[in-house]
């Protein structure tokens, strides 16, 4: 899924996620490694063994589980979060031949690819390093590839001087579309293995939904979101219901993705210049992601999520659906299922983090898409890329 424009310089192509691409148990870690349960987490058991509880330093999380009852978590636990250091994870479109090669120098990172091979049933590292490009770019391959490589980047950071300290200082995380799954794995909401199984199914379900109808996506460059909405409204007046379009990704100022039926997308492209758009870029994606065209994928995701153990994250994880952190596992499951049919609120997420006083950010995984977005919103924003 490639094709979109750099949010740092709108004339420069960049890689992004499933919408905007290069142009154009209890408290376990996300893997057998120590990524999730850092020294800041403590586990406690009651005398009679009937209940368990855990807490995270700096009052990040506090909850209890009683035997024979459901976990009770206040979903607004993180509502007043005050971010200082963030881990940011890329989405589909960030993939590139050669990613994962550096990760083989660190045992914990290399181990993630070995585990992935068993879950996926193919040699993921070989495709990441050697391609072919067309195979790596496919929805069913690129999503697991980016998920694994991004978490491998965390392990590369861990062995760097001062890396463990950086990891332990992170108090908020988020990811662009697919990257939300990576963020949840890092935050301990589910294991590395369970997260990968979900991502594998997600990619397959989205591809199947895209194959079921003629749809497409286009990036609109140089207009604010209000103007892009007006452009969509104008295009929708000329097409049937099945071909209607909508904004699917609020990426950054001047760069929004529109998704919908093929005829609707063609109408948007034809009218864009009359709305003073600088340019349009048809995205090389399988279909109309983050719209109702993905509805067939929802039931498959709901079934998979229902059978997956999801815990309250140890730090806030910002949702793509509403740009808010959620603590309740059931709510997280519902939001992940809705995510594929809902517009991505990335611009709001970035602006909120910066307005709340975020000091330092790290983009973990392939590409530098997110760093470009942050710079587009605030030229002074600091984002360091950690690749693998």
């Amino acid at each position: 899924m490639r094709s979109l424009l750099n949010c740092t310089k709108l004339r420069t192509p960049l890689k992004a996620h499933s919408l905007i691409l290069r142009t154009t148990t209890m408290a376990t870690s996300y893997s057998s490694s120590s990524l999730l349960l850092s020294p800041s987490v403590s586990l406690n058991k009651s005398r009679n063994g009937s209940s368990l509880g855990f807490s995270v330093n700096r009052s990040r999380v506090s909850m209890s589980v009683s035997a024979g009852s459901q976990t009770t978590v206040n979903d607004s636990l993180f509502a007043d979060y005050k971010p200082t250091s963030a881990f940011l994870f890329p989405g589909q479109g960030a993939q590139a031949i050669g990613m994962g090669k550096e990760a083989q120098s660190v045992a914990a990172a290399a181990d993630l690819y070995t585990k992935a091979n068993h879950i996926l049933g193919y040699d993921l590292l070989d495709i990441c390093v050697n391609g072919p490009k067309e195979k790596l770019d496919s929805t069913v391959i690129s999503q697991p590839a980016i998920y694994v490589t991004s978490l491998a980047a965390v392990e590369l950071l861990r062995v760097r001087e001062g890396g463990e300290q950086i990891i332990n200082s992170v108090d908020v995380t988020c990811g662009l579309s697919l990257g939300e799954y990576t963020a949840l794995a890092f935050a301990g909401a589910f294991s590395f293995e369970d997260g990968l199984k979900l991502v594998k199914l997600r990619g397959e379900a989205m591809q199947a939904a895209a194959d079921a109808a003629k749809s497409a996506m286009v990036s609109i460059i140089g207009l604010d979101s209000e103007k892009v909405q007006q452009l969509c409204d104008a295009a929708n007046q000329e097409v049937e219901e099945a071909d209607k379009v909508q904004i699917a990704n609020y990426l950054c100022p001047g760069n929004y993705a529109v998704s919908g039926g093929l005829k609707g997308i063609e109408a948007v492209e034809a009218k864009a210049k009359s709305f003073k758009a600088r340019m349009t870029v048809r995205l090389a994606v399988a279909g109309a992601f983050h719209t109702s065209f993905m509805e067939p994928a929802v039931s498959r995701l709901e079934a998979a999520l229902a059978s997956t153990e999801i815990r309250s994250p140890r730090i806030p994880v910002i949702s793509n659906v509403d740009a808010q952190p959620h603590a309740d596992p059931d709510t997280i499951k519902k939001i992940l299922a809705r995510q594929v049919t809902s517009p991505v609120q990335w611009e709001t997420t970035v602006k909120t983090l910066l307005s709340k006083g975020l000091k330092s950010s790290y983009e973990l995984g392939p590409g530098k898409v997110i760093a470009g977005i942050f710079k587009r919103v605030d030229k002074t924003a600091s984002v360091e890329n950690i690749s693998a």
Side-chain angles (χ1 to χ4, degrees), residues 38-294:
S38 64
S40 61
V41 179
S42 61
L43 294 170
N44 301 297
K45 190 172 184 178
S46 65
R47 293 178 185 177
N48 61 15
S50 63
S51 65
L52 284 171
F54 77 87
S55 61
V56 181
N57 287 350
R58 295 193 292 176
S59 301
R60 288 181 181 175
V61 175
S62 178
M63 79 178 217
S64 63
V65 180
S66 300
S69 65
Q70 294 293 321
T71 302
T72 301
V73 180
N74 181 357
D75 189 55
S76 61
L77 184 66
F78 299 121
D80 297 323
Y81 74 102
K82 294 177 173 58
T84 59
S85 180
F87 269 9
L88 313 167
F89 296 100
Q92 189 175 347
Q95 71 275 0
I97 297 295
M99 70 182 198
K101 187 174 183 180
E102 186 181 353
Q104 302 314 296
S105 64
V106 176
D111 186 52
L112 297 182
Y113 289 91
T114 301
K115 291 179 178 179
N117 292 347
H118 292 302
I119 292 171
L120 299 173
Y122 57 84
D123 192 335
L124 179 66
L125 179 63
D126 180 62
I127 299 174
C128 287
V129 174
N130 302 311
K133 181 179 180 298
E134 293 73 19
K135 192 170 186 179
L136 179 60
D137 285 349
S138 68
T139 299
V140 296
I141 300 292
S142 62
Q143 292 199 21
I146 294 167
Y147 172 85
V148 175
T149 301
S150 296
L151 291 175
V154 177
E155 297 304 332
L156 263 70
L157 173 61
R158 189 186 301 281
V159 300
R160 195 177 83 179
E161 184 177 357
E164 189 76 47
Q165 182 178 355
I166 291 173
I167 292 171
N168 291 338
S169 72
V170 171
D171 51 18
V172 66
T173 183
C174 55
L176 189 56
S177 190
L178 158 71
E180 186 172 340
Y181 286 77
T182 320
L184 285 164
F186 171 74
F190 43 66
S191 68
F192 165 80
E193 292 85 352
D194 283 347
L196 181 56
K197 291 173 184 176
L198 288 172
V199 167
K200 176 179 182 291
L201 181 138
R202 181 181 188 266
E204 293 168 350
M206 291 174 71
Q207 181 65 59
D211 291 341
K214 292 182 178 180
S215 61
M217 298 185 69
V218 62
S219 177
I220 310 300
I221 307 302
L223 296 180
D224 61 30
S225 58
E226 184 177 352
K227 281 288 187 182
V228 175
Q229 183 58 56
Q230 292 173 7
L231 172 58
C232 290
D233 292 342
N236 285 337
Q237 292 179 4
E238 299 185 0
V239 298
E240 300 294 329
E241 186 67 31
D243 279 309
K244 289 189 182 297
V245 298
Q246 68 177 69
I247 300 176
N249 188 296
Y250 294 82
L251 188 63
C252 64
N255 197 339
Y256 303 95
V258 171
S259 206
L262 185 57
K263 291 182 179 179
I265 293 297
E266 290 172 346
V268 166
E269 292 170 329
K271 292 177 174 295
K273 284 193 179 296
S274 66
F275 279 79
K276 309 300 182 185
R278 184 178 301 173
M279 63 188 300
T280 63
V281 181
R282 181 72 69 92
L283 304 183
V285 298
F289 297 149
H290 296 287
T291 70
S292 59
F293 281 85
M294 292 293 107

